[in-house]
Amino acid sequence: MSTQGNKLSRQLAVAAALMMAGTGAALAASANADATATIVTPIAISKTSDLLFGNIAAGTSTGTMTVSTADVATPAGGITVPTGNAGTRAAAVFAVTGEGAYTYAITLPTTDQTITSGANTMVVNTFVSNPSGTGALTAGAQTLKVGATLNVGVSQAAGSYSGAFTVTVAYN
C-alpha cells in the first residue's frame, strides 16, 4: 500500500471513530444536583400560669363566670362573687417558642371540659385566645393567653374544683 493509501486509511479510521464517539455521546448525558435541607427550631408550648375563675357563690339558678384574655371576669346569671374575697381571676398564660418570624396555628378545646371536686363537676367551655387563631413568633417567642367560661349549676356543691385542658400549637 502506498503512503497515500495508508494516510487515507488512517483518516477514514479516525473519522469513523469520531462518528461513533459522537453518536454515543448523544445517547447519554449526566449532570449533578445538590440536596439541601434546613432544620428549624421545633415549636413548643409551656404553661406559665393556670386559668383562674376565683371564688364564686352558687345560687338557686344556673350562672356563668367568664374570664377574658385581658383577665376581666364577668359573672352572669344566678351566681355571686363574695365581696372582699373574690379570689384571683386570670386567663391561662402559655409561652410559645420556636423559629423566629414563623407563624403558627392555635387549637383550643372545642368540646366541654370538665373540672371536678370529688364527685361534683362543672363544665368549662367557650375558650378564646389572644392571639386568636394564628400567632407569630417574633424573635422566636410569643405569649399566648387563654380565657373561657365556667358554667355553675343550681346550688353547685362547695369545693375546690380543678381539671385540665389542652392548647395545641403547630407551624403554619
Side-chain angles (χ1 to χ4, degrees):
M1 202 179 247
S2 71
T3 309
Q4 250 183 350
N6 281 342
K7 189 174 181 182
L8 182 59
S9 292
R10 275 184 279 167
Q11 288 175 344
L12 288 174
V14 169
L18 287 173
M19 280 196 249
M20 287 173 45
T23 303
L27 294 179
S30 62
N32 291 329
D34 293 332
T36 65
T38 302
I39 306 300
V40 299
T41 304
I43 192 164
I45 184 171
S46 60
K47 177 191 74 168
T48 304
S49 61
D50 293 317
L51 174 59
L52 305 173
F53 290 103
N55 298 328
I56 301 165
T60 56
S61 63
T62 61
T64 60
M65 175 63 78
T66 300
V67 175
S68 74
T69 58
D71 300 326
V72 175
T74 306
I79 65 169
T80 57
V81 176
T83 305
N85 195 9
T88 303
R89 291 171 168 67
V93 179
F94 297 89
V96 181
T97 58
E99 192 70 23
Y102 275 44
T103 62
Y104 62 94
I106 302 162
T107 304
L108 302 172
T110 56
T111 59
D112 291 347
Q113 304 295 300
T114 302
I115 61 175
T116 61
S117 175
N120 302 305
T121 64
M122 287 191 286
V123 168
V124 178
N125 56 20
T126 318
F127 289 85
V128 294
S129 69
N130 184 14
S132 178
T134 301
L137 295 170
T138 306
Q142 186 173 45
T143 298
L144 171 65
K145 294 185 83 173
V146 176
T149 298
L150 173 67
N151 297 272
V152 181
V154 173
S155 302
Q156 184 75 45
S160 180
Y161 290 76
S162 65
F165 64 93
T166 302
V167 176
T168 303
V169 295
Y171 283 132
N172 285 327

